[in-house]
Amino acid sequence: MTNDKHEAVIGLEVHAQLRTETKAFCGCTTKFGNAPNSNVCPVCLGMPGVLPVLNKKVVDFTIRMGLATHCSVASKSVFARKNYFYPDLPKGYQISQYEEPMCQHGYVDIEMEDGASKRIGITRIHMEEDAGKSIHDLDVDTLVDVNRCGVPLIEIVSEPDIRTPHEAYQYLYAIKQLVTYLDICDGNMEEGSLRCDANVSVRLKGVEKFGTKTEVKNMNSFRHVERALEYEIQRQIELIEDGGNVVQETLLWDANKNVAVPMRSKEEAHDYRYFPEPDLVPVLVSEEWINEVKKILPELPKERRNRFIRNFGLPKYDAEVITAEKPVADYFENAASHLSQKNSDTYKSVSNWVMTDVLRVVNERHIAVNDFPVLPEHLSAMINFIIEGTISGKIAKDVFEEMLKTGEEPKAIIERKGLMQVSDASVIEKAVDDVLARNAEQVEKYRGGKTQVFGFFIGETMKATKGKANPKLVNEILKKKLAG
Amino acid sequence: MSFVNTPAFDSYRLRLAAGKESCVERTEHYLTVIHQRSALNAFLSVFENEALEEAHRVDQKIKRGTAGPLAGMVVAVKDVLCMKGKRTTCASKMLEKYEAIYDATVIERLRAADAVIIGKTNMDEFAMGSSNENSAFGPVKHPLDETRVPGGSSGGSCVAVAAGMSTTALGSDTGGSIRQPAGLCGMFGLKPTYGRVSRYGLVAFASSFDQIGPFANSARDVAHVLQVIAGYDERDSTSANVPVPGYLGAMNRNVRGLKIGIPKEYFTDALNSEIRSAIEKQIHRLKSSGAEVVEVSLPHSEYTIATYYILATAEASSNLARYDGARYGYRAQGARDLSEMYTKSRSEGFGTEVKRRIMLGTYVLSAGYYDAYYRKAQKVRRLIQNDFLDAFKKADCLITPISPTTAFRLGEKLEDPLQMYLNDIYTVSANLAGIPGISVPAGKDHQGLPVGMQILGKHFDEETLLRVADFLEAA
């Protein structure tokens, strides 16, 4: 996409909807999916005479994100009004922060394509309220749903440190991981709880001055962000190569057509006339408050991944997959703590089950790991049975399927279905004798030097024992008997 | 100075308790006066039946001995305060049919104290004006001379009390809107400290200036109402969590040793000589009763009008953005698209003065002008606040005029907005500084029109203002 001469300069503005129970400036619930215009009160309806009252949780959540991104948290920050007219903005202004935001000067480390680490600066993180939703696609008229009005957001503004769509993807991914680990946002881009706008320009490599930038909006998934940026960078380079100039404008990504379309200039010609919100007092955050938040700050993805490698001996790949999402990492740790033998082999075994079987089902069924029918302690109980030789790895797959269906603990399933591994040598010897007796021809072949038929005997013996025979014992006994 | 028989609340309450009068009778009396003097145009809504029902309930409570502190008081409220299920028009075509869906905190508190609310009063549209001529429903007239203005913007509330249509009234004061009409009508009118009274449910004009306060015939009646409406409200983040003292207890009719500051910038040659001499007479009374009079200086006084009209209009331009015709209020017909719907609704729904201030405010906040106007005015506001803090190091309270003239004629200043703005020259500084101010009657001019005097106090020191006002009234 880029050529050798040019490089892109990208800065991202990410909006994260905070998972507070009530709205930023009134007591209404933030619950998603209620009937339109039901989560409302005089305050979020913007009735005459109402006043906003700040929800402390919003400050708390913003401090968390500030600390997690190494920002300095301002002891005093100020809300401001961003003025513009729109039907889904009942007050005619959005309460936001402008000159004095809550957090500034932080960073996030991302991994580049070559595996090296790169630091992306965070300019600022500020608090604001969401607007409502205008619904245009109905015949009647434009309808407005103000349930979302006043739901708290944080806006995370990066420095223009991003150079490629891949870096943008990695940065966004890192932000998503942070907000979900911090439990302040569900991080769902498709549902709009995480939104991303990009400022993009290109310049000749080695040149310090930025080119003219455009703003790209309406990118509703990680993939859209990557594709929209690829498109816009390519467009700008071609324009410049053809002797044209980039015009500063706002573009909307059309995911169906894979193009970014300029917004009508009327829509973007805004002078927001920011000024300090006189209905709210400045937000004062004490050292003690910050320390309180620090205390409850969870382990963040990078630290957790490193600890999984260090303490559990997991391969880097496994550690990354498992720590990508906090609930998965929690599931793994919970299961690991219930192992009867704790070593890198048994941990790896848990990792394998989580990565292949657990995540497969989670993805197929589109469910949250927290709702996964097999409890982590049941998964490790099952692995313990494998370690102890009670069941084979193959039988374990059946036990797992049954646990998925019934949610029972593995012991009950193994007993009910009689899946206990047979380690009684006399039982196996009898089965082997039967197999050899029935297949005299194959026995001759083996004894005549065609040892590759050994696998056939194993298969027959396992079939005869319904898969429950201890494979190690089957192996030993067969070898002995065939040797005659 | 009551024109009609409104007894002081203290004595009236004794008569009520003794069964010599009833709240119903008092309410009926006020309703009669409201009808008799309807030409004053003081009310936009009168709650005839509800007020009588409420008065009846209050009488029952008085009999049972369970009545609240304002039982028997009949109050008129400015139509800028929200009352659930009642029209709250702000005297604007924009909200002509708008009914509030909740009660303002002050309304709740008045009701909880067993006050009877008799109606909602006329005002300048969205509280913007100094003559009450900017109402979409016609001007309020001065009760002593119907060719004159009563002052504004809380003209209706002031006249309700002055003409004997209610015991007390609530107004709002952003740049003098309680004190100035009180001065022109010879009433007591208090603008409390910013944050003293919750603004929740007060339709905003300029959020960092607006305060709700009472009009009454006496300082003691002002204190009765303030006692009930003052205090922290968690629904207003700018309301102050400062204890409310017992205001009536402070009114001891003694000013001995009190230091009274006279800001020299407020007593220049430009001041009308009749007003000057009326105020000097009052100052002399205080002095001869043992108060100490000191000259103070408020050096940034010349910037107050400009500072006020930049900051207040800036806030107003944003506060009034919600009246866009989209969700409630006036919507123009025949618009072809959203932008036209906004433009037409706002052009037709707002009056001239409101539109002028929205445009001024939009201008001073706009890109390229913000620093020169809004930001600079914020800095000057701080300087003006500091002037007062310095002055209060020397004095316990300050005495100033309220307005440059006594009540002027209807239409006299309507064509000259600047002249109208200059009417606020003595009052806006209290709103800029957030300090309390009270209007006290100080005699009459040669035409028999009331002359008002203003007492300004330290933040949250309404006690001193009421004490001095009560002293002057009693003597």
Side-chain angles (χ1 to χ4, degrees), chain A residues 222-372:
Chain A
F222 280 78
R223 193 181 298 265
H224 289 180
V225 171
E226 224 175 356
R227 276 199 282 165
L229 290 174
E230 278 164 11
Y231 170 91
E232 179 56 11
I233 293 164
Q234 191 63 34
R235 187 188 72 87
Q236 290 189 16
I237 290 173
E238 279 170 15
L239 196 62
I240 293 166
E241 295 269 86
D242 291 348
N245 287 312
V246 175
V247 182
Q248 185 163 348
E249 62 185 342
T250 302
L251 305 155
L252 294 180
W253 177 243
D254 183 333
N256 294 322
K257 295 181 185 154
N258 274 319
V259 288
V261 188
M263 272 174 95
R264 279 180 294 145
S265 58
K266 207 172 149 191
E267 287 173 342
E268 58 171 322
H270 278 312
D271 176 359
Y272 291 121
R273 293 174 285 118
Y274 282 100
F275 73 104
E277 163 60 290
D279 286 333
L280 288 165
V281 290
V283 183
L284 303 179
V285 177
S286 64
E287 226 21 73
E288 295 83 70
W289 192 353
I290 295 173
N291 286 334
E292 283 304 307
V293 177
K294 257 184 203 158
K295 259 185 245 162
I296 58 148
L297 213 58
E299 185 183 31
L300 297 175
K302 207 171 95 185
E303 285 78 51
R304 200 166 198 188
R305 185 190 69 189
N306 291 339
R307 181 168 61 82
F308 278 21
I309 295 169
R310 201 171 57 239
N311 292 5
F312 298 124
L314 292 187
K316 186 167 171 252
Y317 174 80
D318 290 39
E320 251 162 31
V321 172
I322 285 173
T323 59
E325 286 180 45
K326 186 166 177 283
V328 179
D330 290 344
Y331 187 98
F332 171 86
E333 272 207 279
N334 196 345
S337 71
H338 287 91
L339 285 170
S340 58
Q341 292 175 34
K342 294 185 170 94
N343 56 51
S344 57
D345 288 342
T346 58
Y347 289 135
K348 175 67 176 130
S349 175
V350 177
S351 165
N352 289 343
W353 279 94
V354 171
M355 286 197 302
T356 53
D357 301 86
V358 177
L359 288 181
R360 171 178 52 83
V361 178
V362 163
N363 292 333
E364 277 169 10
R365 298 189 185 175
H366 301 289
I367 55 170
V369 174
N370 292 334
D371 299 329
F372 193 67

Side-chain angles (χ1 to χ4, degrees), chain A residues 70-99:
Chain A
H70 315 277
C71 282
S72 63
V73 178
S75 57
K76 177 192 162 204
S77 69
V78 174
F79 281 103
R81 291 186 186 176
K82 179 180 182 177
N83 295 284
Y84 65 97
F85 286 98
Y86 208 69
D88 61 22
L89 191 72
K91 299 190 295 295
Y93 56 85
Q94 176 194 30
I95 303 177
S96 180
Q97 295 194 301
Y98 190 57
E99 287 186 346

Side-chain angles (χ1 to χ4, degrees), chain B residues 210-332:
Chain B
D210 298 341
Q211 264 293 288
I212 298 165
F215 288 95
N217 285 290
S218 68
R220 288 186 71 81
D221 284 6
V222 168
H224 277 297
V225 178
L226 181 64
Q227 196 70 54
V228 164
I229 63 172
Y232 177 66
D233 176 13
E234 60 178 15
R235 290 173 294 189
D236 177 0
S237 311
T238 65
S239 79
N241 207 342
V242 174
V244 178
Y247 292 112
L248 288 143
M251 299 161 91
N252 60 4
R253 305 257 157 109
N254 183 356
V255 293
R256 192 160 296 280
L258 197 73
K259 284 190 200 153
I260 300 201
I262 308 298
K264 61 178 184 193
E265 291 82 1
Y266 284 51
F267 290 88
T268 62
D269 293 342
L271 181 62
N272 173 309
S273 62
E274 278 191 287
I275 292 177
R276 175 196 284 266
S277 68
I279 293 172
E280 279 171 353
K281 211 177 275 174
Q282 301 298 327
I283 294 170
H284 183 75
R285 286 176 59 204
L286 291 164
K287 205 170 172 178
S288 60
S289 299
E292 192 186 324
V293 175
V294 293
E295 187 185 81
V296 296
S297 174
L298 301 168
H300 296 92
S301 294
E302 61 176 305
Y303 305 111
T304 53
I305 287 282
T307 307
Y308 171 77
Y309 276 94
I310 289 169
L311 297 177
T313 57
E315 292 182 16
S317 72
S318 174
N319 282 331
L320 272 62
R322 67 190 64 193
Y323 312 113
D324 59 5
R327 291 161 304 276
Y328 53 79
Y330 180 79
R331 180 190 287 189

Side-chain angles (χ1 to χ4, degrees), chain B residues 165-186:
Chain B
M165 300 162 164
S166 66
T167 324
T168 58
L170 290 185
S172 68
D173 188 316
T174 307
S177 284
I178 291 173
R179 292 159 290 154
Q180 187 254 14
L184 298 193
C185 294

Side-chain angles (χ1 to χ4, degrees), chain B residues 103-113 235:
Chain B
D103 281 327
T105 297
V106 289
I107 298 293
E108 283 180 3
R109 290 188 178 182
L110 284 179
R111 286 211 179 109
R235 290 173 294 189

